[in-house]
Amino acid sequence: TNLFEQRRYAIILDMMQAHGRAFGSALEIGCAAGVFTGMLASRCGSLHVVDVMPAAIKRAAARLQDRGNITWEVSSVTDDFA
């Protein structure tokens, strides 16, 4: 990832840590290549990932296939609001 993305990930993870306790579950909307997904999965008991692009889910799931705490879903989170 580029420097901007690295900094953005660090800020989000710092905010999570400031929460002061482990997260039982989390939801990630839009996983792209799964870089942040791996970081997030390390900090919660279970992670559900939603992306509208099947290729993104396939790529990220392949990258993180050793993580047993991630579930994957190809879906649009905006369809219900249109």
Side-chain angles (χ1 to χ4, degrees), residues 11-65:
I11 289 169
I12 294 168
L13 296 173
D14 285 347
M15 288 172 35
M16 289 178 66
Q17 186 173 353
H19 187 263
R21 61 183 169 91
F23 286 82
S25 60
L27 169 66
E28 181 183 25
I29 299 173
C31 64
V35 174
F36 184 70
T37 307
M39 295 176 195
L40 186 56
S42 298
R43 290 166 171 81
C44 58
S46 65
L47 174 61
H48 186 73
V49 178
V50 178
D51 199 299
V52 70
M53 300 294 297
I57 292 286
K58 184 177 180 180
R59 181 177 52 244
R63 185 174 189 270
L64 299 165
Q65 64 185 341

